[in-house]
Amino acid sequence: MSLDIQKIRKDFPILNQQIYKKPLVYFDNGATTQKPQLVIDEEVKIYSEENSNIHRGVHYLSEQLTQRYEDARKVVRKFINAKHDHEVIFTSGTTESINTIAFSFGEKYVNEGDEIIISTLEHHANIVPWQILCERKNAVLKIIPINENGELILEEYEKLISSKTKIVAVNHVSNALGTINDIKRIIEIAHKRDIPVLIDGAQSVQHGNVDVKELDCDFYVFSGHKIYGPNGIGVLYGKEKWLNEMPPFMTGGEMIKKVSFEKTTFNELPLKFEAGTPNYVAAIGLAKAIEYIQNVGLKNIAEYEKELLDYATKKLESIEGLKIIGTAQNKISIISFILEDIHNYDAGMVIDKMGIAVRTGHHCAEPLMDSLNIEGTIRASFSFYNTKEEINSLYDALLTVKQMFG
Ligand code: PMP
């Protein structure tokens, strides 16, 4: 089935506007995606008609909204095909999810001299929490290297694993280069040695089906705002066996069973990891966003975005002096590039004046940029609401940049 993109674009009100008197071309979907009207409407409806703190009241509004929050959890569970609802923890986003795991898993399982494996491709959110843990526990961080295409070198990964490895944490898709990592293989290799694996799915869930049961990953995390949902909501999926053993990260209301001044006992999953008032409005909005993309069809989304990626790659490659950074065989609809002798920031400023939103810089992946010996890139990240005509506009803008600075 082919998608009716013009019809889809009407669902996203923000796209229908001019920036500097030019039609907005939004190619910063890797940073955050835009929201369909039905997600925006859902939030307005909750605040206008249904708002009440959940879990705490016996009154009508509270009970109704508690049910809707728990229904949202079920939508997420089905979406990623988790075994149990309580394996889905709502957080504020990928960053909080990873911090929660790094702290709690680290507290329980990581000791002096132990090792944690991450990769060169990681976002700072999947580096810094592990670094802090290593400092706290006197553990060692090991890094999977990449080849010249920006793909993880799995033979080197295997060599990094030792009897001291406690966890492997890698992204599914690199936000900076678009590389899709062979996480199935990465997980299999770790599991042969009984080592759990965390997958940072911030750049993958919005582009195709994710099945945590099939992948057999131990943890999978993502952010609502990158999957057409609201800000301030994210997901931490964890296998029950780990989450039950791990101590809570944040403490306070909701996550307790019984509190006295002498001692506190903790609640069952998932509430053990949801201290305080959760962002129930955003959780329900996230469920709406998931239902929306399920209606569009994840297979359709993946196919169309691949078409956009191939089209843009061909077009951009034809520009003299433009170098694509990240040429993995398996890529998501993200293109990072640099222009010979032109600073990314200068190029970004000119592209912006054409009404085109791209991102320039290190994309929160400074160690990756260091390893590539570059300061940063210009990144265009496409969504299923983008069009080939918009890619043509980027192409034209890049020719203008070259004329101005070349
Ligand atoms: N991991 C990856 C791969 C990302 O792309 C991002 C966001 N750019 C994050 C983690 C952090 O996500 P958030 O800021 O929503 O917590």
Side-chain angles (χ1 to χ4, degrees):
M1 189 186 94
S2 64
L3 297 176
D4 183 346
I5 305 304
Q6 289 313 320
K7 184 162 172 281
I8 284 172
R9 286 179 69 83
K10 291 206 180 87
D11 294 337
F12 294 82
I14 202 170
L15 298 178
N16 183 25
Q17 67 171 303
Q18 304 223 320
I19 304 280
Y20 308 122
K21 300 200 173 122
K22 309 242 167 33
L24 165 67
V25 173
Y26 187 77
F27 283 164
D28 198 15
N29 296 289
T32 199
T33 52
Q34 301 302 350
K35 324 300 170 199
Q37 187 66 52
L38 55 78
V39 169
I40 301 167
D41 288 348
E42 187 70 21
E43 297 219 316
V44 171
K45 181 167 173 284
I46 295 171
Y47 283 127
S48 316
E49 300 170 18
E50 304 173 22
N51 186 46
S52 173
N53 205 336
I54 57 168
H55 290 315
R56 290 178 191 164
V58 285
H59 64 82
Y60 180 84
L61 287 179
S62 179
E63 278 186 356
Q64 291 291 310
L65 213 52
T66 302
Q67 188 56 50
R68 296 200 64 204
Y69 179 70
E70 291 307 325
D71 288 347
R73 199 189 304 278
K74 284 186 202 305
V75 170
V76 174
R77 180 194 58 78
K78 275 197 203 133
F79 176 56
I80 59 172
N81 197 28
K83 194 166 174 195
H84 305 292
D85 291 345
H86 59 254
E87 291 177 321
V88 172
I89 313 289
F90 283 121
T91 64
S92 64
T94 304
T95 301
E96 188 182 307
S97 297
I98 299 175
N99 272 276
T100 301
I101 299 162
F103 178 85
S104 302
F105 182 92
E107 200 57 19
K108 173 93 186 175
Y109 296 105
V110 178
N111 294 307
E112 187 167 342
D114 285 342
E115 294 167 357
I116 289 155
I117 297 179
I118 61 170
S119 91
T120 308
L121 289 176
E122 299 316 310
H123 185 281
H124 295 162
N126 200 29
I127 301 173
V128 186
W130 302 110
Q131 241 169 10
I132 303 275
L133 169 65
C134 286
E135 275 171 29
R136 195 170 90 234
K137 292 284 186 137
N138 252 327
V140 181
L141 198 58
K142 290 185 154 186
I143 318 292
I144 310 170
I146 52 171
N147 64 21
E148 66 282 1
N149 298 323
E151 295 162 317
L152 296 180
I153 307 174
L154 295 191
E155 300 76 49
E156 296 298 323
Y157 159 56
E158 282 204 76
K159 284 188 215 155
L160 290 180
I161 295 181
S162 80
S163 58
K164 291 187 174 300
T165 309
K166 285 292 145 79
I167 189 165
V168 175
V170 292
N171 61 36
H172 192 170
V173 168
S174 154
N175 66 306
L177 306 186
T179 312
I180 303 175
N181 292 315
D182 186 355
I183 53 168
K184 184 100 180 112
R185 185 85 196 102
I186 290 172
I187 293 163
E188 274 167 13
I189 291 168
H191 281 184
K192 263 195 243 153
R193 310 277 291 265
D194 290 330
I195 299 162
V197 181
L198 177 156
I199 301 297
D200 170 356
Q203 296 290 343
S204 52
V205 270
Q206 63 280 56
H207 297 291
N209 279 322
V210 167
D211 182 331
V212 293
K213 236 189 263 164
E214 209 250 328
L215 285 170
D216 198 27
C217 54
D218 299 272
F219 302 99
Y220 194 95
V221 299
F222 64 95
S223 298
H225 71 96
K226 291 185 199 282
I227 181 169
Y228 310 98
N231 274 6
I233 191 75
V235 169
L236 183 178
Y237 157 79
K239 278 185 186 163
E240 181 185 47
K241 68 168 181 180
W242 297 115
L243 295 178
N244 269 335
E245 292 298 316
M246 285 157 51
F249 174 46
M250 302 260 281
T251 57
E254 292 302 320
M255 52 74 63
I256 51 86
K257 193 174 268 166
K258 174 98 186 75
V259 179
S260 73
F261 285 121
E262 288 71 40
K263 186 164 170 61
T264 293
T265 52
F266 305 133
N267 214 330
E268 308 286 316
L269 294 174
L271 298 184
K272 181 172 113 180
F273 287 103
E274 292 182 359
T277 300
N279 195 341
Y280 48 84
V281 180
I284 296 166
L286 171 61
K288 271 276 166 208
I290 289 173
E291 284 164 357
Y292 176 83
I293 57 169
Q294 283 176 326
N295 272 335
V296 176
L298 280 133
K299 193 161 167 280
N300 297 329
I301 290 175
E303 277 170 11
Y304 177 66
E305 288 178 346
K306 174 83 172 65
E307 212 179 296
L308 288 180
L309 175 70
D310 291 346
Y311 183 79
T313 305
K314 263 212 189 102
K315 207 82 198 154
L316 266 53
E317 262 175 356
S318 72
I319 298 174
E320 215 189 302
L322 184 147
K323 185 174 178 212
I324 293 182
I325 308 291
T327 49
Q329 224 169 16
N330 253 329
K331 272 183 73 172
I332 223 79
S333 50
I334 288 177
I335 300 190
S336 255
F337 57 93
I338 50 176
L339 291 162
E340 202 175 41
D341 297 330
I342 303 172
H343 197 278
N344 299 322
Y345 188 70
D346 290 337
M349 295 275 279
V350 176
I351 297 169
D352 167 55
K353 292 291 179 290
M354 315 278 173
I356 303 171
V358 291
R359 189 147 292 244
T360 58
H362 54 57
H363 316 297
C364 291
E366 271 192 88
L368 170 61
M369 297 298 141
D370 288 345
S371 83
L372 296 166
N373 245 326
I374 52 177
E375 237 179 78
T377 70
I378 303 165
R379 182 187 72 183
S381 45
F382 312 117
S383 153
F384 62 91
Y385 47 56
N386 291 128
T387 64
K388 289 182 186 164
E389 290 71 37
E390 289 182 312
I391 291 169
N392 293 344
S393 300
L394 175 63
Y395 173 83
D396 292 342
L398 288 168
L399 294 187
T400 308
V401 169
K402 280 194 46 128
Q403 260 174 9
M404 288 176 73
F405 298 99

